[in-house]
Each structure stands twice: as structure tokens, then as C-alpha cells.
Amino acid sequence: MGEISEAGVVDTVAKELFIGGKWTAAEGGRTFPVLDPSTGEALCQVADASPADGMAALDAAVAAQADWARTAPRERGEILRRAYQSLVDRTEELALLMTLEMGKPLAESRGEIAYAAEFFRWFAEEAVRIGGDYSVAPNGSGRFLVAKQPVGVSLLITPWNFPMAMGTRKIGPAVAAGCTMIIKPAAQTPLSMLALAEILAEAGLPEGVLNVLTTSDSGGVMEPLIRDGRARKLSFTGSTAVGRKLLEQCADKVLRTSMELGGNAPFIVFDDADLDAALEGAMLAKMRNIGEACTAANRIYVQKGVAAEFGRRLTEKMAALPMGRGTEDGVVVGPLIDQAAVDKVSGLVRDAVERGAKVLTGGATVDGPGNFYQATVLTEVPLDADMATEEIFGPVAPIYIFDTEEEVLAAANDTEYGLVSYLYTSDIKRALRVSERLESGMVGLNQGLVSNPAAPFGGIKASGLGREGGKFGIDEFLETKYIAVNL
């Protein structure tokens, strides 16, 4: 396709609700603005769903569930395969759309489209691999049949930081398993999801299987759906605080839940690590998505023997990162999602400095329009600083120095979160020993990126429940039915 303008790519996206296979205005024609985080200006207005709109979407999903569950697995998989190809073919326009609404540089947006598409390809293949079991009863008098069936109508809530991939990571297994769904994207980034809905409709997804609610009132629209009782599943990606509230709501009707919540990832560098590889991994784990990722390196622990050199070289790399609007060539540090994000990062840095941390580079906001914060490195960060226990969600790398393996393990595990940990060492015994003792659902061993559609993504403790991706991801949308056979 030829070059497409910013206004053109926004204009091509439907701005209404997608309910029962139809684009529909919100009740009363209500809308809310989608802002460009690099300028603060409105890109467009999208439909602002009401609780009544939410109920209409639930009605549509319920009406479509039985037929969709009976649809052949191969047919479900082929729909995902066609949608995968559409995502690949439309990478440039979808990446531009994402950059405009979320702020990340175009290179990262292109990477996310590829990542998002891969979930559809993976689960297209998993749709035909849903199995069961057949066994003889221990006393020989009967047989046990075990079948896997769709959970049913599913409620999906996605965040703003990966607006396409977090959608495909949930929609892919739901489609493959035979579940209808209602998805509510974050209010900051609804356009990517609306574009995805159109792609899935073009790929042949039947009416009512996917319903999209854009709204500025997430709680007001979603809580009645959770408490209604007809939906049987909730999958949420977002903060732990919101996840706790949703779990309380789900308890009323005992909804099955899977949640990918907050993180506080330790990044551990031992004296014997390959320092070049550790620096490369730190940059990836810290600066992917401008640091706005639950998997971001939140606490960088460096053993005393290499701490000075690591800090110096990390500072050089961070200080050299080009900052600007994500559509500009070469930009690595784009804007944060909104002013609240800037205020949070600023507050965490200010708190650390007031407690004795030293700023090696950055440490300030940027004058002018947009939600920009400088790439920052701090050292001598005290353990009682707020950023030691809170997600930073921005381009700030705090360095903590440690002496012993036991010391760093205690520090790394001293958090309510347990999503991902990273460690760099050349000692295979230490690598396995520390990996097993780190309290997290995932470990990056000598690598700064763990996310992969073919692997199970998820955490322990306050970082969530269940897994997404890999052969485990589809299980979240399947129930196990046991049939006792009397012979």
C-alpha cells in the first residue's frame, strides 16, 4: 500500500461500538476523545458505552454462544489464520495507528503488530489440538471419559500499554476454544481494538462472537456484566489494585478468572556475568515500551565488583537515547501515556533523590507539549524508596548494589509481586539455583525479554492468576467435563 497519512489512518477506523456484528452508536450518542500523548491533542472521538450498551453486548454474546461452541475447530482456526495474515499485511497502518494513540516509537509498534499477529497464528493451530482422555476405572468396572468444552461467554479487559497484543492474547484462545466474548479496551487506546474487530469480521468471525465496548466508565459498564451471571469467565490485564476489585466482583457469581497484574521485576547482574550481554538485556528489559510494561526491569541489582562499570555504561546508553514523537525517525523514548503517568514517575524519582539517591542522567520532565520524561539512571537508591516497592512504569532505571547471592535473593523476593525476574551469570550452577529460588512466574536467564506467544506468560503472588500463551493459554477458556461410563 502507499504511504498513509496520520489523519487518514485514524479516519479508516470505525469509532462506534461493535455489538452483534454491527457498528452501533452508544446510547444517547455519547462519545469521548482519544488523545495523542505526544501533543495532548484529540485524534478523534469514539463511542462512550453505557451500562445498557454493555447489556446489549452481553445479550449478543449469549445468543451466539451455543452455535459458536458447535463450530468445527478447523473453521475456528482458519478464521484466526486469516486474521493473522491481515495483521501482517496491514502492519504499517496498524503500527502508525498504535503510535498515534499510545505514543511508542513506530519501530516498537511494528514489533507489537508482529507479536500480536503471532498469537492468532499460534491459537489457530491450537484450535484443532483440544484433547481429552479415556481411561479404565481402577476397579475395571467402568470407563472414564474426559472432555474439554468452552467455558462460555467471556469478559476480556485489556490495558493501554500493548493495545493490540493484549487483545490478540485473549481473543486468540477464546476463539480457538469456542467462546464468545465482550472485550473492553482501555479508554486511552481504543482505536487498535476497533481496527482488530474489523479485521476479525472480515476474516469471517460470526456475528456476536466478538463484541467491543469502548467506554470512559469501565467500572460502571463492566461490573453489571460480571454480576449478571450469564458470563462465565473474566480475563483481565492491568493493575493489581483493579484486579483485586474485579476478583471481589467475580466471587458473587463464581466466575472463572485469569489475571495478569502488576510487576516489580528484579534484574540481577552477578560479578561473573557477560557485562555486554547484561547491559543489552537491561536496556531491553527497562526500555521496551518506554518502560511502560509490567515486565519492565523495576529494580536493577548489580554485584559490587561490577557495579561502577555497569552504572557508567548504562548511563552512557540511556543518555544517548533519542527522545521525541513516536512517528519521528530514530526516536527511542516516546511520550508516556498521560500526565498522570508523568506525575507518578516524577514523584518516584523525587522521593528517591530526597532519600539519598544520585541522578546519573535524566531525572526531569521535558518542557513543551506532550507527556515526556527523560531516560533516567539513579544509583545509591535506598531500599526504603517508594520505587523499590512500586511499579515505575516509565524510563527510569534504579541501581541497587549487593554483595552476596543470599542478600540479593532476599531483596528480589521481598515484594508482593511475582511476575518476572531477570538474572545474568556465567555460572550454570548459580543460574539454576537462583532461577529456582526467585519467586516469580517467569525468569529471564541471560536474556532481557521473556514474552513469546508460544510460552506461558503469567505470575504468582499479587501478579496474577493463570497463564496466557503457549499450550497452556487455551486451557483458561476450557472446562473439563468427566463422564463416568458404567460397563
Side-chain angles (χ1 to χ4, degrees), residues 240 260-268 285-286 291 293-301 344 348 383 385-393 396 398 400 408 410-422 438-442 459-464:
T240 296
E260 193 263 287
L261 306 176
N264 188 10
F267 188 100
I268 303 169
K286 176 70 263 182
C294 53
T295 55
N298 213 57
R299 299 168 291 153
I300 300 177
Y301 297 105
K344 178 184 179 181
L348 289 173
L383 293 178
D386 289 344
M387 67 173 58
T389 56
E390 295 184 26
E391 273 193 290
I392 299 170
F393 244 63
V396 177
Y400 307 81
V408 76
N413 290 335
D414 186 20
T415 174
E416 69 170 338
Y417 299 104
L419 186 61
V420 62
S421 303
Y422 306 91
L438 284 167
E439 296 174 356
S440 58
M442 301 176 288
I460 62 174
K461 302 196 287 189
S463 286

Side-chain angles (χ1 to χ4, degrees), residues 267-270 272-274 277-278 281-282 422-426 446-448:
F267 188 100
I268 303 169
V269 181
F270 287 99
D272 61 3
D274 178 333
Y422 306 91
L423 74 126
Y424 277 76
T425 178
S426 296
N446 291 325
Q447 66 179 59

Side-chain angles (χ1 to χ4, degrees), residues 341-470:
V342 176
D343 292 343
K344 178 184 179 181
V345 172
S346 297
L348 289 173
V349 171
R350 184 169 56 252
D351 170 77
V353 171
E354 288 174 353
R355 295 174 188 269
K358 302 294 188 296
V359 179
L360 299 184
T361 188
T365 56
V366 177
D367 292 335
N371 309 314
F372 291 94
Y373 195 89
Q374 296 174 343
T376 299
V377 179
L378 304 176
T379 191
E380 299 180 36
V381 181
L383 293 178
D384 63 350
D386 289 344
M387 67 173 58
T389 56
E390 295 184 26
E391 273 193 290
I392 299 170
F393 244 63
V396 177
I399 297 176
Y400 307 81
I401 300 172
F402 71 93
D403 287 313
T404 68
E405 181 179 312
E406 288 298 323
E407 174 192 352
V408 76
L409 272 167
N413 290 335
D414 186 20
T415 174
E416 69 170 338
Y417 299 104
L419 186 61
V420 62
S421 303
Y422 306 91
L423 74 126
Y424 277 76
T425 178
S426 296
D427 183 336
I428 185 62
K429 292 182 180 179
R430 170 182 278 162
L432 294 176
R433 187 169 62 237
V434 173
S435 292
E436 290 181 359
R437 293 183 62 187
L438 284 167
E439 296 174 356
S440 58
M442 301 176 288
V443 175
L445 177 55
N446 291 325
Q447 66 179 59
L449 177 67
V450 297
S451 301
N452 191 302
F457 187 102
I460 62 174
K461 302 196 287 189
S463 286
L465 304 164
R467 294 296 182 268
E468 294 183 304

Side-chain angles (χ1 to χ4, degrees), residues 84-104:
Y84 156 80
Q85 191 60 54
S86 291
L87 284 169
V88 172
D89 293 343
R90 296 174 57 182
T91 293
E92 288 304 313
E93 62 181 282
L94 294 170
L96 177 57
L97 184 69
M98 185 185 301
T99 290
L100 292 175
E101 67 173 346
M102 187 268 161
K104 69 180 72 180

